[in-house]
Amino acid sequence: MDQNLVAVLPHVTAFMQKEHGLLIDGRAVTALSGQRSEVRNPATGQVIASVADGNEQDVDAVVQSAHRAFRSGVWSGLRPADRERILLKLADVLEAHAEELAQLETLNQGKSIHISRAIEVGAAIEFVRYMAGWATKLGGETMDVSIPVPPGTHYTAYTRREPIGVVAGIVPWNFPLMIAIWKMVPALAAGCTVVLKPSTETPLTALRLGELALEAGIPPGVVNVLTGRGSRAGQALAAHPLVSKISFTGSTEIGKTVGHAAIDNMTRFSLELGGKNPMIMLGDIDVDKAIQGALMGGFLNQGQVCAAASRLYIHRSKFNQVVEGLAAAANSMTLGSGLDLNAQVNPLVSARQQQSVCRLIEAGRSEGASILAGGGAADLPGYFVKPTIMINAAQHSTIVQEEVFGPVLVALPFDSIEEAVAMANDSRYGLAASLWTNDLSAAMHIVPQIQAGTVWVNSHIPLDPSLPFGGFKQSGIGREFGRGAVENFTETKSVCIAH
């Protein structure tokens, strides 16, 4: 065996070979639809598992399970300290199964085992521990009200936060385990019950997460897992009247349909959507650091990151240095399976995504852009796209305006800060951005002008559980992380007592 390839654990292989059902009331249940979906390894294109393909009746069964558990108080009725303790136990259980989860994620999603270990599992465990603490820290306020009637009556008024109910967590395929945890754990800390709906392409770690939640002591029915196509199971979940809150991460187009479905029932919802994120490099940058930042910000997880840098605006005085350095780095990168410890670029998640990225590269080329590195699919089994650097694109061209979600960076020069900010803001998206400069005054002046939910300075991509994350414009509604992540799964009740 190749010494650079990670040996797959026997229980990972055994898990993939299981006849996976839906997780309802703490049990694996055969889908009423009787249908199944194949799961493929992006590095080879081969089928590695199959899962239940739920229909509308399956959705109802899953939601009813979560609703019964919520109404029973088996979770919401626990002391906050007990919910915190169980969630901390969940973090311990995840840590004990860390390598198993990392390998499962790499085999299913395609990403590097290094990223699976450090981010999908390692960062997710830190997130669980951070959010567990909020279970004991939510509270309301007292108000000194001035109600004038009846004369002589005194009032005591306060607010309380109560769990919202059944939460539908609709999870994308780019970080399947981590984003499932982003949705599940704050909802549980607030006292809600959860239905996780993973992507059809990447359902395996969500199913394993559901099993491990039970192992940690979360009661049956509190965490349920629904697998199935978004056009059927996802749509029915978003429209179900017993769902009280939808937390969706995915494309802007699908997010809009989720929001419309939610409004019909007045279901609360938050949407973390697409991004076409700019990176602005001023004339005083350290070129080497900026190049490394662009490679990390643009190529992490093959660019399949909603906050990935994809538009580089570089001061004309440094433009050639930066793009030549990027092209040299991209051309030297090794492609290979996520289990290959030496591979720097791994496959995209699916053949469909590979084809989508290649179409957008060709659209850029046909609209006049030049390719300095990469430029299409790699001649390998699986769903690889070569890391691509493009220049000479027009600001309003497809490759500059549309989210690619692949390993593609397009670079444009600018002459003035005003021009750079205007181009950076010239997008329907506003999820994230970064500014690269050694001039503190320039940074403090420019950051407020950038229309994005997160702006990094001399960095791009790192997140922290305490720092709110979400987008402006068509990049979404609401925020993940921090106190708000838990409060989003509560309703505020005002209480007014006359005495």
Side-chain angles (χ1 to χ4, degrees):
M1 178 179 172
D2 188 335
Q3 302 257 325
N4 294 323
L5 287 179
V6 174
V8 177
L9 297 170
H11 45 284
V12 170
T13 301
F15 182 82
M16 292 190 296
Q17 292 173 347
K18 285 173 60 174
E19 182 90 355
H20 296 286
L22 310 174
L23 184 64
I24 304 176
D25 279 328
R27 296 179 296 109
V29 177
T30 302
L32 296 170
S33 71
Q35 297 178 342
R36 301 191 66 77
S37 295
E38 292 179 337
V39 178
R40 294 180 182 272
N41 179 348
T44 63
Q46 296 176 347
V47 175
I48 55 173
S50 77
V51 298
D53 186 3
N55 63 13
E56 294 82 354
Q57 290 72 37
D58 294 305
V59 171
D60 185 61
V62 174
V63 174
Q64 292 285 356
S65 168
H67 182 66
R68 285 192 301 272
F70 182 73
R71 298 294 296 172
S72 74
V74 67
W75 182 253
S76 60
L78 292 179
R79 294 186 315 145
D82 292 329
R83 290 201 300 273
E84 178 185 43
R85 176 180 51 79
I86 294 171
L87 291 174
L88 290 171
K89 177 64 183 303
L90 173 63
D92 294 341
V93 170
L94 294 174
E95 200 163 53
H97 293 269
E99 180 63 14
E100 170 193 347
L101 291 166
Q103 290 189 15
L104 198 59
E105 197 72 305
T106 289
L107 287 163
N108 190 178
Q109 200 278 337
K111 62 168 53 73
S112 168
I113 190 68
H114 300 300
I115 296 174
S116 291
R117 288 167 174 167
I119 298 177
E120 288 275 15
V121 181
I125 290 168
E126 289 191 357
F127 182 88
V128 175
R129 291 189 171 122
Y130 172 87
M131 283 298 168
W134 279 111
T136 56
K137 296 169 186 67
L138 291 176
E141 299 178 276
T142 59
M143 280 81 172
D144 193 6
V145 297
S146 302
I147 301 172
V149 292
T153 303
H154 298 278
Y155 291 90
T156 296
Y158 62 93
T159 62
R160 53 179 283 119
R161 288 195 173 272
E162 299 179 355
I164 200 167
V166 175
V167 171
I170 303 177
V171 181
W173 48 254
N174 60 331
F175 286 93
L177 176 63
M178 184 171 69
I179 295 179
I181 286 171
W182 287 0
K183 298 184 182 308
M184 181 182 87
V185 176
L188 294 177
C192 300
T193 57
V194 177
V195 175
L196 285 177
K197 163 65 179 72
S199 168
T200 309
E201 288 92 344
T202 54
L204 298 182
T205 48
L207 289 165
R208 187 65 178 128
L209 176 62
E211 293 178 353
L212 295 176
L214 292 165
E215 184 178 321
I218 296 172
V222 173
V223 173
N224 305 271
V225 182
L226 166 70
T227 54
R229 284 169 283 166
S231 59
R232 183 168 63 172
Q235 192 170 48
L237 181 62
H240 200 290
L242 292 181
V243 171
S244 297
K245 170 68 186 279
I246 301 168
S247 178
F248 172 87
T249 299
S251 72
T252 295
E253 288 65 35
I254 300 300
K256 290 177 180 179
T257 68
V258 169
H260 282 296
I263 286 295
D264 287 340
N265 292 319
M266 294 307 293
T267 302
R268 279 59 172 151
F269 63 91
S270 57
L271 307 172
E272 197 272 280
L273 306 177
K276 186 67 177 177
N277 309 294
M279 179 179 280
I280 301 173
M281 300 181 183
L282 301 190
D284 68 335
I285 58 169
D286 180 314
V287 170
D288 290 339
K289 287 183 180 178
I291 288 171
Q292 289 305 310
L295 294 172
M296 173 64 75
F299 291 160
L300 178 74
N301 197 27
Q302 291 61 250
Q304 298 170 124
V305 182
C306 54
S310 53
R311 295 182 286 149
L312 308 185
Y313 296 106
I314 306 166
H315 191 271
R316 196 174 299 276
S317 65
K318 297 292 175 65
F319 185 80
N320 288 340
Q321 284 180 267
V322 172
V323 297
E324 288 168 7
L326 288 170
N331 281 324
S332 70
M333 287 180 169
T334 57
L335 282 66
S337 160
L339 292 177
D340 184 341
L341 294 171
N342 290 338
Q344 296 167 293
V345 178
N346 310 115
L348 301 186
V349 71
S350 65
R352 180 174 63 178
Q353 186 62 18
Q354 181 193 43
Q355 292 160 8
S356 172
V357 171
C358 289
R359 279 197 301 269
L360 286 165
I361 292 172
E362 282 307 308
R365 196 198 309 260
S366 68
E367 292 176 356
S370 305
I371 294 176
L372 296 184
D379 186 18
L380 291 169
Y383 313 129
F384 291 86
V385 171
K386 291 178 281 190
T388 299
I389 308 296
M390 304 181 77
I391 60 171
N392 298 328
Q395 172 66 18
H396 292 106
S397 64
T398 301
I399 199 67
V400 174
Q401 292 295 323
E402 295 302 316
E403 184 175 38
V404 177
F405 229 62
V408 179
L409 294 174
V410 57
L412 292 82
F414 69 86
D415 294 299
S416 70
I417 288 174
E418 291 75 17
E419 181 188 9
V421 171
M423 289 194 295
N425 289 338
D426 179 24
S427 171
R428 65 183 176 127
Y429 298 110
L431 184 59
S434 64
L435 174 65
W436 293 75
T437 179
N438 289 308
D439 185 336
L440 178 60
S441 295
M444 299 303 289
H445 174 68
I446 295 169
V447 165
Q449 300 180 56
I450 298 173
Q451 297 168 0
T454 297
V455 180
W456 292 279
V457 178
N458 297 329
S459 177
H460 195 111
I461 226 86
L463 301 175
D464 186 86
S466 67
L467 193 64
F469 180 71
F472 288 17
K473 298 188 280 190
Q474 293 197 36
S475 286
I477 296 172
R479 294 293 183 270
E480 310 260 17
F481 306 171
R483 174 193 291 269
V486 185
E487 291 182 344
N488 285 341
F489 297 110
T490 66
E491 292 279 23
T492 300
K493 179 179 287 182
S494 296
V495 180
C496 188
I497 302 170
H499 52 89

